[in-house]
Amino acid sequence: MKFPFAPRPRLRAFSLVEVCLALGIVSFAFLSIMGLTFIGFSGFQKAIGTTMETQIAQRLATQLRQTDFSELMAGGASTRHFDIEGLPVSAGEAVFTVTIDAPKHVALPQGGDMDESPNLVLVSFRITKRGSTTTPNAYQVYVANAGT
């Protein structure tokens, strides 16, 4: 005997509780990933700042070595300003400030004595990043009189 109304197969679906639990798990994972992204971006910005500071220091060291020795000795302490790309700018637009100390003659051992060499100086400079609370990084460059 055939029944006119056969029972339909029951369709299974997710209950509201299962959906809420799944959304909670997904949102917890998403928030964790967002937190890691923020930490990654701050580390990336710090790396960019360190890279630019190093490039500014290398450029400045090269400029000091190529400067005429008499001009270098005539100049005293000075300050230069750079933007985030390492380009020279005015003080108001500066991200990096470089404070250059006056050149100092270096004492070299000569025949048992420590005499200052008239042809070698030590130039020190410090690079400070705007808004940084850390101690500025200090650099030193030896500049020799190349006879020019």
Side-chain angles (χ1 to χ4, degrees):
M1 174 171 184
K2 271 187 150 184
F3 294 107
F5 297 105
R8 286 190 277 169
R10 185 170 175 176
L11 298 176
R12 296 280 305 166
F14 292 109
S15 69
L16 186 58
V17 173
E18 291 172 329
V19 170
C20 288
L21 282 173
L23 283 175
I25 292 170
V26 168
S27 20
F28 179 74
F30 185 70
L31 286 175
S32 300
I33 290 171
M34 290 302 290
L36 290 174
T37 303
F38 175 74
I39 292 170
F41 280 137
S42 64
F44 178 67
Q45 288 216 324
K46 189 175 182 178
I48 288 176
T50 303
T51 301
M52 287 315 308
E53 183 177 321
T54 304
Q55 288 181 358
I56 291 169
Q58 288 175 343
R59 183 180 310 140
L60 189 58
T62 301
Q63 288 174 356
L64 288 170
R65 287 186 187 112
Q66 292 177 347
T67 302
D68 186 58
F69 197 77
S70 59
E71 288 179 29
L72 185 65
M73 293 310 297
S78 63
T79 303
R80 297 184 188 178
H81 304 282
F82 298 90
D83 65 4
I84 192 66
E85 296 176 356
L87 301 173
V89 294
S90 65
E93 302 171 346
V95 174
F96 296 99
T97 301
V98 179
T99 306
I100 305 170
D101 298 331
K104 298 174 191 155
H105 284 282
V106 178
L108 294 176
Q110 295 174 353
D113 295 328
M114 294 292 283
D115 295 329
E116 286 186 353
S117 172
N119 294 319
L120 184 66
V121 293
L122 176 66
V123 181
S124 301
F125 58 93
R126 292 172 307 285
I127 302 178
T128 308
K129 186 175 181 183
R130 180 180 62 204
S132 176
T133 57
T134 60
T135 305
N137 290 329
Y139 300 88
Q140 295 181 328
V141 178
Y142 289 97
V143 181
N145 185 358
T148 55

